[in-house]
Amino acid sequence: MSPSLTPDCAQMEAFASSNNLKISLAINLLIATIAIPVLFYSIFFISTTHMFHKNTRLQILVHLFGLLLHSIGRLLLHITDLFNYITRNGNSCEIIPDFYRCLVLRGFYNVGLAVSSMCSIALVLERIAAYAISEHYEHCGASFGVLLVLFQIFLSMCYLFSMYFHAAFSPGNFVLYYCQTIASSTGSVWFVIGPLYCVMAAQILSRVMFQVLMAKSKKLRSQKLTLSSRFNLEQSIRSLAALKLLVNANTIVFTLISVVTTTLHFNAASLSKPDYMALVEAVHILPFYGIAVCYGVHLKLRVISKSDEKSLWTAMKLDGDKYFDQFRQQIK
């Protein structure tokens, strides 16, 4: 904040006394508090599970790390704001957010948002490679997975470059009444909203490609394959079944964020500034999405694992001739 500026204490008081904003922050704080241990557990679980190829696991881990960064940023932002609003004593100008604190904490928030939005693209590319070289993919190293991780980071940097292109990185001729440094941007709003629509379009395209890949993989079941190829195919189909939930949720969430954020922006004049920020925080549901998708994928993997276990026990109970008859029919 420039020393020549006179802050508007009444505007700061409007933010601090807004019940809608405090309710939105409190709910999101609670969700972020739950999301952080869930994401830590999921990172450990995905790192150690053998249900996915190592290259698939790398893409999911980047996604979970992005969600974790976003959730940590929200936790620290909302704790600070709520504490200041609740404990303010008289002069509201004393709790005007510090620019650099907001820049760092909102940076966690936005970097996490950008990184977590690129997972579907990388997963589809990884699964296409797995389908194309299915006979050898199981024995491939992690080099391709690392390359896709770097690709995700590159796309995230492009997203952030556009978002921050016109934003300030030092206090200027403005006062922040809410901890949102992107609000200091002097350029077109489409530098901020545009990347969201690019992500939305990429998510939808990835979802379509994922469905095509699923159908092609299932068609291969009817073809004559070697035992090794059939094993890799079935593992790929199981992976696709579990990942389908993640890709679906990812597409829905980022489409929702894109459309609702744009709608809010172009209707901001009809809302008070505290109510507008309350709605902006409410629509960015990534911590809730993180909890839901971690639980959903974990549950799906358990169902697949139990199904495989049941099939194995059924086969073991058959007499030898029937077992080998079924086995021969499966590899035809």
Side-chain angles (χ1 to χ4, degrees):
M1 181 176 65
S2 172
S4 62
L5 291 175
T6 303
D8 185 350
C9 297
Q11 189 170 342
M12 188 65 244
E13 177 62 24
F15 277 94
S17 61
S18 170
N19 288 329
N20 290 337
L21 181 56
K22 283 188 279 192
I23 289 169
S24 178
L25 293 180
I27 291 172
N28 280 291
L29 175 59
L30 176 63
I31 294 171
T33 303
I34 297 169
I36 289 170
V38 169
L39 290 166
F40 269 118
Y41 171 76
S42 297
I43 287 171
F44 170 77
F45 175 77
I46 292 297
S47 299
T48 55
T49 187
H50 297 291
M51 290 291 289
F52 296 120
H53 190 277
K54 52 182 166 289
N55 288 335
T56 309
R57 294 202 302 269
L58 280 172
Q59 310 320 307
I60 298 173
L61 287 172
V62 172
H63 183 61
L64 294 174
F65 180 69
L67 291 173
L68 182 62
L69 273 183
H70 179 85
S71 298
I72 290 171
R74 294 196 80 150
L75 179 78
L76 297 175
L77 276 169
H78 298 342
I79 282 178
T80 306
D81 285 338
L82 279 173
F83 177 80
N84 287 337
Y85 294 166
I86 293 169
T87 61
R88 73 187 189 283
N89 187 16
N91 185 9
S92 294
C93 280
E94 293 179 357
I95 62 168
I96 288 176
D98 176 74
F99 179 87
Y100 291 110
R101 169 175 64 83
C102 293
L103 185 66
V104 172
L105 297 185
R106 191 61 69 167
F108 276 94
Y109 182 112
N110 288 327
V111 170
L113 173 68
V115 171
S116 62
S117 67
M118 304 302 167
C119 179
S120 293
I121 303 166
L123 278 175
V124 167
L125 292 175
E126 189 271 334
R127 287 292 90 197
I128 288 173
Y131 174 82
I133 53 170
S134 56
E135 291 187 16
H136 312 289
Y137 193 72
E138 185 61 27
H139 305 290
C140 287
S143 300
F144 181 59
V146 172
L147 188 64
L148 284 176
V149 167
L150 294 175
F151 180 60
Q152 284 197 66
I153 293 171
F154 170 74
L155 291 178
S156 302
M157 294 298 292
C158 292
Y159 182 110
L160 291 167
F161 178 78
S162 179
M163 183 183 288
Y164 280 95
F165 188 72
H166 288 288
F169 289 89
S170 61
N173 194 30
F174 55 86
V175 177
L176 286 180
Y177 296 102
Y178 186 74
C179 222
Q180 173 58 288
T181 51
I182 294 294
S184 66
S185 176
T186 57
S188 168
V189 67
W190 289 104
F191 277 93
V192 178
I193 295 177
L196 278 175
Y197 277 91
C198 291
V199 168
M200 182 184 77
Q203 297 282 1
I204 293 170
L205 179 61
S206 297
R207 176 63 187 85
V208 172
M209 291 297 297
F210 205 84
Q211 191 63 37
V212 171
L213 199 56
M214 189 83 168
K216 283 182 172 290
S217 296
K218 286 182 176 180
K219 267 189 179 181
L220 281 178
R221 278 174 164 166
S222 61
Q223 296 183 16
K224 187 175 181 180
L225 299 170
T226 64
L227 181 59
S228 174
S229 295
R230 184 164 294 279
F231 172 79
N232 292 336
L233 174 64
E234 291 302 324
Q235 186 185 47
S236 177
I237 291 172
R238 287 196 299 270
S239 294
L240 287 168
L243 294 173
K244 185 179 177 180
L245 174 64
L246 190 154
V247 174
N248 284 345
N250 211 247
T251 303
I252 291 168
V253 165
F254 281 96
T255 301
L256 176 71
I257 290 174
S258 302
V259 173
V260 178
T261 299
T262 307
T263 303
L264 281 174
H265 175 78
F266 288 108
N267 289 277
S270 63
L271 297 166
S272 69
K273 289 183 179 179
D275 285 351
Y276 172 76
M277 292 312 307
L279 290 170
V280 168
E281 296 294 1
V283 76
H284 284 76
I285 56 172
L286 285 185
F288 178 77
Y289 155 77
I291 296 168
V293 81
C294 287
Y295 176 76
V297 171
H298 185 74
L299 191 64
K300 185 70 175 177
L301 290 175
R302 285 185 62 186
V303 169
I304 292 171
S305 181
K306 284 185 179 295
S307 176
D308 289 348
E309 186 179 337
K310 184 179 178 182
S311 299
L312 179 60
W313 277 107
T314 302
M316 289 176 67
K317 288 177 182 178
L318 295 172
D319 63 57
D321 290 337
K322 287 185 179 178
Y323 175 79
F324 283 109
D325 283 342
Q326 282 195 5
F327 179 75
R328 276 193 293 270
Q329 294 212 353
Q330 285 182 353
I331 62 173
K332 280 182 183 178

